[in-house]
Amino acid sequence: MGAPLNICLLPGDGIGPEVMRQAQKVLDRIAERYGVTFTCHEALIGGAAIDALGTAFPAETLEAARAADAVLLAAVGGPKWETGNPDDPRPEEGLFAIRKELGLYANLRPVRAYDQLIGASPLKPEVVRGSDVLIVRELTGGLYFGKRDRTYDVPGAGPGGAPGQYAFDTMEYSEYEVERIVRRAFEFALQRGKRVHSIDKANALGVSRMWRQVARGVAEEYPQVEFREMLVDNAAMQLMLDPRQFDVIVSENTFGDILSDEAAVLCGSLGMLASASLGDGTALYEPVHGSAPDIAGCGIANPLAQILSVELMLRYSFGMQNAADALAAAVERVLDEGYRTPDLADSHTDPSKVLGTEAMGDKVVEFI
Ligand code: NAD
């Protein structure tokens, strides 16, 4: 048995602790099956941290995250902390802080159309069937982090030439930031379908023209990978028209944010989508969904996105491809055998196979 793998668990708020418990059961089973030791340390983030310590991202949490081999987060937020007072701490501050502190510049969101859930997507089955896209979004640069300002009472900026407000945000990237994210996308493509689409808006933005030039340079180093360029407006349409043409999509922060939510439609359910955020050190894994305060405490939350986040952690942080494959296969088998949490169930679901959070976690464990 090798050295223990340290995992920092951040259950957060709402359904977070409920789905995190299922991920822990899965980790226990993987440990038993594959002869590894996971040492898990829980820390506070989001609303839970605000309640206990008055801040969404306590120093102890940063320390625990930095000391870990990987971080597994559930979700943060909820109406309890939406006070309306701009000076009060907000749960989401914890998310931004941990991404920044760990230098997590690559956000990966795999989106697969599960055959078993094909009816859950609002798109036609013949369009979505077989779709399997990995979106690689740049996470620490671009419009969300560039120079910005908002000024009040600017002469002539209001309606009819009256004084009014003026605001701007700036999309900024260095060549280095583009190069490292595009390279990551090519490395993932090598392990998958060997095709990269680089998405930009080169017909309108100078940043995109630089992005294109840098991406072409990286592409030359990967002759085994097919390289395509696409303007973001067309990409948004193509994702809905013909999603199977995509394997890996790489994009800057804002475009990637929008395209990854759009792509979620292919899968049909938020409860199935996992994500990974990678930098050069400790990586973070989390489901795409939020804290679902409307169903928190009801025992019906779908734990599969959290469990699939564990799959990504095994793959990308621990290099445990066999265990990751076994976990993915267990989730497939659960779906094949007709088990569904309420969010995945429809009129064709056998009511005896509609499971709560704990029972769904147990089924996955049973099939690993
Ligand atoms: P949400 O993802 O929490 O919920 C949207 C809808 O999907 C709800 O009806 C919810 O019940 C359902 N849902 C979500 N996850 C589910 C699951 N695992 N199983 C079954 N149903 C599920 O988004 P929201 O309602 O917009 O936000 C709620 C809170 O979560 C807010 O405070 C928001 O800021 C926060 N949030 C956090 C994250 C994060 O932690 N990364 C992401 C998004 C939203």
Side-chain angles (χ1 to χ4, degrees):
M1 196 176 286
L5 295 163
N6 284 311
I7 304 173
C8 173
L9 301 178
L10 304 175
D13 310 316
I15 61 168
E18 300 168 43
V19 292
M20 185 62 93
R21 266 198 303 281
Q22 312 317 310
Q24 281 179 271
K25 292 196 291 202
V26 164
L27 283 166
D28 289 345
R29 175 76 180 128
I30 297 278
E32 179 193 346
R33 189 72 223 273
Y34 290 87
V36 288
T37 305
F38 296 117
T39 310
C40 296
H41 302 279
E42 231 178 75
L44 294 169
I45 194 165
I50 293 174
D51 286 352
L53 299 162
T55 165
F57 192 55
E60 300 87 304
T61 301
L62 175 59
E63 225 172 279
R66 283 213 174 115
D69 294 304
V71 179
L72 186 65
L73 177 100
V76 301
K80 179 177 175 192
W81 300 282
E82 285 158 18
T83 63
N85 179 351
D87 296 330
D88 284 343
R90 296 177 52 79
E92 296 75 15
E93 287 163 2
L95 285 183
F96 295 124
I98 195 165
R99 288 173 186 161
K100 181 166 171 283
E101 293 293 341
L102 296 182
L104 305 174
Y105 64 83
N107 182 241
L108 267 56
R109 198 188 280 191
V111 184
R112 261 188 64 195
Y114 285 88
D115 264 357
Q116 304 90 332
L117 302 176
I118 214 89
S121 171
L123 299 177
K124 291 188 189 121
E126 61 270 28
V127 172
V128 281
R129 197 181 301 281
S131 305
D132 186 357
V133 186
L134 176 67
I135 298 189
V136 180
R137 165 189 168 196
E138 203 291 327
L139 200 59
T140 53
L143 208 45
Y144 300 162
F145 293 89
K147 285 190 265 311
R148 65 191 52 207
D149 199 13
R150 182 168 166 189
T151 321
Y152 297 83
D153 296 324
V154 177
Q165 297 184 45
Y166 180 78
F168 66 88
D169 297 272
T170 322
M171 187 185 282
E172 295 181 71
Y173 271 106
S174 70
E175 198 177 332
Y176 163 71
E177 289 172 309
V178 177
E179 205 257 4
R180 69 178 176 177
I181 191 76
V182 173
R183 190 172 295 285
R184 270 239 142 110
F186 273 89
E187 290 294 326
F188 288 120
L190 280 178
Q191 301 159 32
R192 297 174 37 103
K194 302 197 172 46
R195 178 181 293 163
V196 169
H197 276 81
S198 172
I199 309 299
D200 60 41
K201 188 69 183 163
N203 54 346
L205 299 174
V207 181
S208 285
R209 287 191 279 276
M210 179 187 78
W211 179 287
R212 222 170 235 226
Q213 186 193 359
V214 175
R216 284 179 187 177
V218 175
E220 280 175 16
E221 296 175 39
Y222 293 85
Q224 326 83 306
V225 177
E226 184 188 348
F227 177 58
R228 295 187 185 177
E229 292 162 328
M230 198 177 267
L231 296 173
V232 63
D233 36 2
N234 185 30
M237 185 173 70
Q238 293 297 329
L239 258 177
M240 298 294 100
L241 283 178
D242 179 16
R244 277 185 300 246
Q245 70 185 288
F246 297 104
D247 173 32
V248 174
I249 287 178
V250 62
S251 187
E252 68 86 41
N253 204 342
T254 310
F255 299 159
D257 190 7
I258 297 167
L259 291 178
S260 57
D261 267 28
E262 188 196 8
V265 172
L266 303 173
C267 178
S269 172
L270 255 183
M272 297 298 296
L273 291 170
S275 77
S277 299
L278 314 179
D280 294 320
T282 306
L284 179 142
Y285 301 86
E286 59 180 317
V288 168
H289 62 72
S291 59
D294 52 336
I295 56 165
C298 302
I300 56 167
N302 181 352
L304 293 178
Q306 186 75 55
I307 288 172
L308 291 167
S309 304
V310 171
E311 182 212 326
L312 297 179
M313 181 169 76
L314 295 171
R315 227 178 261 295
Y316 297 131
S317 278
F318 301 153
M320 295 175 63
Q321 304 306 336
N322 291 344
D325 290 347
L327 178 47
V331 171
E332 287 270 353
R333 185 164 160 209
V334 162
L335 298 176
D336 275 344
E337 297 203 3
Y339 295 105
R340 303 282 186 270
T341 42
D343 58 304
L344 301 177
D346 60 20
S347 54
H348 305 291
T349 309
D350 171 355
S352 71
K353 293 196 165 173
V354 178
L355 306 180
T357 312
E358 287 286 340
M360 184 53 110
D362 291 341
K363 267 287 159 223
V364 176
V365 168
E366 183 189 329
F367 292 161
I368 294 173

